[in-house]
Amino acid sequence: MMFWLFVSVFVAAVVCVGLGRNRALAVVNGEFSRLHSLPSYHGGWLAMTCAGPALALLVLWSLLAPRVERALVFDWYADRLSGLGPAQLEGLWRDIRAGGGARGLHDALLADAVRSYADLHAAGMAVLAVLLAVVAVLGFLYGWRRIAPAFRARHRVEGAVKVFLVACAGFAILITIGIVFSLIAESLRFFTYVSPIDFLFGLSWTPQQMAFRADQVGGEAAFGFVPLIVGTLLITAIAIAVAAPIGLLSAIYLSDYASKPVRAIGKPVLEVLAGIPTVVYGFFAALTVAPAIRDAGMSLTLDVSSESALAAGVVMGIMIVPFVSSLSDDVINAVPQSLRDGSLAMGATKSETIRKVVLPAALPGIVSSLILAISRAIGETMIVVMAAGLAANLTLNPLEAVTTVTVQIGTLLTGDQEFDSPKTLSAFALGLALFVITLTLNLIALRVVKRYREQYE
Amino acid sequence: MTTMPTVETVTSGTAQPQLERPAKVVARGVNVYYGDKQALKDVSLDIDARSVTSFIGPSGCGKSTFLRCINRMNDTIASCRVSGRIEIDSQDIYDPALDVVQLRARVGMVFQKPNPFPKSIFENVAYGPRIHGLARTKAELEEAVISSLQKAGLFEEVKDRLDEPGTGLSGGQQQRLCIARAIAVAPEVILMDEPCSALDPIATAKVEELIDELRENYTIIIVTHSMQQAARVSQRTAFFHLGVLVEDGLTDSIFTNPKDRRTLDYITGRFG
Ligand SMILES: Nc1ncnc2c1ncn2[C@@H]1O[C@H](COP(=O)(O)OP(=O)(O)O)[C@@H](O)[C@H]1O
Ligand SMILES: [Mg+2]
């Protein structure tokens, strides 16, 4: 029903565009030049006055109506519902809306409530439809009467476009702020169980010792962040050690050495690497790279665990190669040809030119591409889960199993959990810490890029 | 290297015997193609040592193309093919045995838009000496940089900020920095492709003055779209049209008494 109301408002808007345009032409008897604004702006104006308020009403209704309905229904049955907890009320409400739900209509209370709700909802919809029609017609009449040769429809439409864009941007920003605030709030709850000092500087991470639910017996749990961040940084460092040279050198090849056809094929192919789902990299790491590394280690009589930071890091490095190569290729290309010509005309060879002129000029952009690749690597989960394991070892040895922040968040929040145990809440603290780290990295990257831009523009 | 003339052998503007010209660059039957398109047709030209020769002509007529043949910058354009013969001091510069790196050390180039490297002023000028290994010690390098900046008439303006980026200079200063960069490797020939077209009149005057001074020690070839500039700075002028060298000779006689109809049309502004 709601869906069809939205559709009809949309159809009304489309019809208004045509009507408004014709009306504008009619008021000037087809003499185009007497209109202040193009006829299509008058059409836009009419669509706006007709569908705008109706749309606002619809959105508002769909946000508020469910709450009102719930309050009313529960109020009618208040005497029969006393004694139910919030979770049970929530379940009941879901069943009512589903027209009976899992419990069927055997429950007398439920059957009554379902009927009352259905009546209420139908009445609400009827009221809404009438209201919408009234609002749309009034808006239409108002808009229709304003259409005149001198009417500045263009300005109105431009204004409305701006409002719409502001609303979209505001929505995105609000969501971001909401997420950050919920992260902070949940983290603060976590810090009531575990002190921030213990969290940030603790050397041991053993949340699994904690009881899952009240009915289990727990051991000694520790929530030290250090092994996780060390594991994260270790894997990231390995990844960058792989991705930086491969990415950068292929960017140099593509931008300065490759012929046009090679470049036209090579660049998109490299970018396909970025489109491979990380889970695919993950099993590549776990099934191919990790065993290969273990076998290689054994032949050197090294003790390599079957899940190692090295395997995860190497595969993650391959994953972020396209980030480095594609962004670096862009910045290297952005170095003006005139600088290359200047260097070549001085008698420098191609590689001297690249080393001494092109790369220094592109360095800020290259650095920022590396930083973006790092923040991408830090946020990566799947490869590490599969290839590096879950053991929170505090080690710098790349041949041992380690774990990372994101992997722990994943394991903390999968399966059976209670939402106010420190174990679950610690995931939010981890998320917040990770967010702060990647945000810092991104800010640095943006800064560097900005300085780079100023250099050439 | 030829010895320094004790008396100025070439004087600006005034008529000179056509005989015994000390030709530095000799081009014979030069054709240049970009892919299938021929940009230069059978160009033969002698360029005097220690004087300024200007190339004029409507845009697209091949002036830059011919200039780039002389330091083989056309090699960097994949589609470009050059045939014919170009000699500098009687040495064929398209000889496969010749090293372009050394050729470009002998033939410097200044571009239309000033293109200082995003490095310090000092490093810009030190670039050539460094890659050609011209200075063995730091002191020698400094000396080379300072003397090049002096020759380019820029030293007084920048001596307190040699460590600052070359890109921070004004347009005219940047162009003189590029000239200093070119002369730091002691070239014999300097090619300039419309070196003043991005500069204001005052900066242009300074660069023209500099060109006139450099003529004493270098063979200078300048592409210009300004006939006044050609008349002011050059001793000889070559007029190109549609890839053909129409006419060349003393600047004065080209402008006062052109032999070819097309030259006359161009200098009287009938096309271009
Ligand atoms: N890199 C290039 N690739 C293809 N054609 C070119 C290239 N450079 C110049 N040309 C062509 O060669 C002709 C001569 O160009 P150019 O030497 O730049 O002329 P000018 O400097 O006299 O204005 C023009 O028709 C131009 O389009
Ligand atoms: Mg040109």
Side-chain angles (χ1 to χ4, degrees):
Chain A
M1 182 66 188
M2 220 44 188
F3 171 74
W4 290 111
L5 288 178
F6 269 103
V7 170
S8 13
V9 169
F10 182 73
V11 170
V14 173
V15 171
C16 283
V17 171
L19 289 178
R21 187 185 303 155
N22 292 343
R23 168 75 183 158
L25 284 173
V27 286
V28 293
N29 297 323
E31 284 174 66
F32 219 83
S33 52
R34 279 180 53 216
L35 283 173
H36 166 271
S37 308
L38 289 176
S40 60
Y41 280 110
H42 290 277
W45 157 255
L46 196 60
M48 225 166 78
T49 55
C50 172
L55 200 64
L57 176 66
L58 255 182
V59 170
L60 215 63
W61 187 282
S62 47
L63 289 178
L64 294 182
R67 282 154 217 266
V68 175
E69 285 167 353
R70 179 180 163 151
L72 282 177
V73 170
F74 281 174
D75 188 46
W76 292 335
Y77 297 95
D79 45 341
R80 291 155 73 183
L81 291 174
S82 57
L84 292 184
Q88 284 160 307
L89 280 178
E90 188 59 43
L92 180 65
W93 177 241
R94 221 176 289 143
D95 288 344
I96 292 174
R97 288 186 52 153
R103 281 188 277 175
L105 292 172
H106 305 304
D107 189 326
L109 163 68
L110 188 61
D112 289 348
V114 166
R115 218 170 304 118
S116 314
Y117 169 75
D119 293 347
L120 177 63
H121 190 69
M125 278 300 155
V127 170
L128 175 61
V130 172
L131 268 181
L132 275 179
V134 170
V135 166
V137 168
L138 285 179
F140 177 83
L141 289 178
Y142 171 71
W144 184 266
R145 293 197 27 213
R146 289 296 301 269
I147 293 178
F151 178 58
R152 303 181 160 220
R154 178 157 35 92
H155 299 229
R156 302 304 176 97
V157 172
E158 287 299 324
V161 166
K162 187 177 158 197
V163 168
F164 181 69
L165 295 181
V166 167
C168 287
F171 184 66
I173 291 171
L174 276 183
I175 294 222
T176 313
I177 293 176
I179 289 176
V180 171
F181 269 94
S182 85
L183 258 187
I184 292 176
E186 300 293 330
S187 303
L188 288 180
R189 273 176 70 196
F190 170 70
F191 289 133
T192 60
Y193 295 101
V194 177
S195 93
I197 306 286
D198 287 349
F199 174 70
L200 285 177
F201 302 106
L203 297 183
S204 145
W205 176 263
T206 52
Q208 55 281 5
Q209 305 285 339
M210 177 103 195
F212 267 126
R213 290 184 305 261
D215 53 346
Q216 288 180 325
V217 185
E220 192 62 28
F223 292 94
F225 180 58
V226 174
L228 304 189
I229 190 68
V230 168
T232 304
L233 294 181
L234 177 64
I235 291 182
T236 304
I238 296 171
I240 287 299
V242 171
I246 297 182
L248 196 52
L249 295 178
S250 43
I252 292 173
Y253 171 71
L254 281 179
S255 65
D256 278 79
Y257 284 89
S259 66
K260 274 223 179 84
V262 171
R263 180 183 159 79
I265 297 171
K267 201 174 178 201
V269 167
L270 254 181
E271 277 161 6
V272 165
L273 273 183
I276 296 177
T278 60
V279 64
V280 175
Y281 282 108
F283 56 71
F284 173 60
L287 301 180
T288 314
V289 178
I293 288 176
R294 194 192 46 219
D295 294 346
M298 290 216 307
S299 66
L300 296 170
T301 67
L302 283 174
D303 186 18
V304 184
S305 67
S306 59
E307 291 175 322
S308 66
L310 188 59
V314 167
V315 174
M316 199 188 276
I318 294 169
M319 177 191 87
I320 59 177
V321 159
F323 290 84
V324 180
S325 70
S326 183
L327 289 171
S328 303
D329 177 68
D330 289 344
V331 294
I332 290 174
N333 258 321
V335 174
Q337 182 62 30
S338 67
L339 289 184
R340 292 184 175 82
D341 287 345
S343 171
L344 293 172
M346 294 296 301
T349 62
K350 201 163 190 172
S351 71
E352 280 171 337
T353 299
I354 288 168
R355 274 204 327 272
K356 297 187 173 171
V357 174
V358 177
L359 287 185
L363 194 63
I366 292 171
V367 168
S368 73
S369 80
L370 286 178
I371 294 175
L372 290 180
I374 290 175
S375 58
R376 174 74 208 235
I378 287 181
E380 173 51 34
T381 315
M382 224 50 214
I383 296 175
V384 190
V385 172
M386 294 189 175
L390 299 171
N393 295 325
L394 179 54
T395 175
L396 284 176
N397 180 352
L399 302 178
E400 278 185 43
V402 296
T403 192
T404 66
V405 179
T406 51
V407 168
Q408 288 307 315
I409 294 177
T411 49
L412 286 170
L413 291 187
T414 36
D416 200 0
Q417 68 223 229
E418 210 169 86
F419 259 97
D420 43 7
S421 89
K423 189 182 169 206
T424 313
L425 289 174
S426 69
F428 290 95
L430 289 179
L432 185 64
L434 197 62
F435 172 71
V436 169
I437 293 172
T438 44
L439 181 70
T440 316
L441 285 174
N442 285 346
L443 286 180
I444 295 174
L446 281 180
R447 265 274 166 82
V448 178
V449 168
K450 198 166 150 224
R451 194 172 307 156
Y452 172 74
R453 289 240 171 84
E454 280 162 5
Q455 208 169 10
Y456 290 124
E457 282 167 11
Chain B
M1 279 276 271
T2 45
T3 52
M4 293 278 218
T6 43
V7 190
E8 198 160 298
T9 49
V10 186
T11 36
S12 170
T14 53
Q16 248 212 326
Q18 285 288 93
L19 316 164
E20 294 171 39
R21 282 171 45 205
K24 178 80 182 175
V25 181
V26 175
R28 289 292 174 265
V30 174
N31 292 294
V32 179
Y33 303 83
Y34 291 109
D36 294 335
K37 194 170 147 256
Q38 186 162 12
L40 276 185
K41 294 171 192 138
D42 194 26
V43 172
S44 297
L45 180 66
D46 288 3
I47 287 163
D48 289 358
R50 291 165 197 277
S51 75
V52 180
T53 303
S54 57
F55 292 173
I56 59 170
S59 67
C61 66
K63 308 177 297 284
S64 302
T65 299
F66 187 56
L67 200 69
R68 284 198 307 263
C69 289
I70 301 172
N71 64 348
R72 288 183 56 178
M73 276 300 277
N74 281 332
D75 293 13
T76 63
I77 299 170
S79 67
C80 187
R81 270 187 309 117
V82 179
S83 69
R85 198 175 167 81
I86 298 180
E87 292 175 353
I88 295 181
D89 289 336
S90 315
Q91 184 190 13
D92 180 5
I93 63 167
Y94 280 86
D95 182 349
L98 178 130
D99 181 3
V100 275
V101 168
Q102 269 153 25
L103 172 69
R104 289 180 192 156
R106 289 171 63 198
V107 184
M109 187 162 194
V110 176
F111 295 81
Q112 182 165 357
K113 226 179 120 231
N115 58 351
F117 302 136
K119 299 172 182 285
S120 71
I121 294 172
F122 183 92
E123 283 304 320
N124 261 285
V125 183
Y127 188 77
R130 278 194 207 280
I131 57 177
H132 293 290
L134 298 183
R136 270 160 305 162
T137 64
K138 204 161 178 290
E140 269 182 35
L141 187 65
E142 261 167 37
E143 204 183 295
V145 169
I146 290 172
S147 99
S148 307
L149 283 170
Q150 277 165 342
K151 283 183 208 154
L154 190 61
F155 186 66
E156 286 305 315
E157 290 161 57
V158 301
K159 63 182 175 199
D160 301 325
R161 44 175 174 152
L162 292 178
D163 292 331
E164 286 174 29
T167 42
L169 296 174
S170 74
Q173 289 173 325
Q174 287 189 13
Q175 196 60 301
R176 281 179 286 143
L177 178 64
C178 292
I179 295 175
R181 183 175 74 190
I183 59 191
V185 293
E188 299 154 36
V189 181
I190 301 177
L191 311 174
M192 299 187 175
D193 193 348
E194 303 192 21
C196 300
S197 65
L199 306 184
D200 63 62
I202 293 173
T204 300
K206 278 202 169 144
V207 171
E208 286 179 4
E209 200 180 308
L210 172 62
I211 291 172
D212 204 52
E213 283 165 21
L214 293 175
R215 166 164 69 89
E216 196 179 316
N217 295 310
Y218 306 92
T219 300
I220 294 174
I221 307 173
I222 175 173
V223 171
T224 173
H225 57 245
S226 149
M227 282 173 279
Q228 290 81 351
Q229 183 169 60
R232 281 194 300 264
V233 300
S234 67
Q235 284 71 56
R236 294 185 69 87
T237 295
F239 171 66
F240 289 78
H241 184 231
L242 297 176
V244 177
L245 171 62
V246 174
E247 177 168 1
D248 80 291
L250 292 173
T251 300
D252 270 3
S253 57
I254 291 276
F255 283 115
T256 54
N257 189 17
K259 295 191 199 71
D260 195 287
R261 174 89 211 163
R262 288 167 290 180
T263 318
L264 181 68
D265 285 349
Y266 182 69
I267 61 177
T268 53
R270 223 153 297 166
F271 58 76

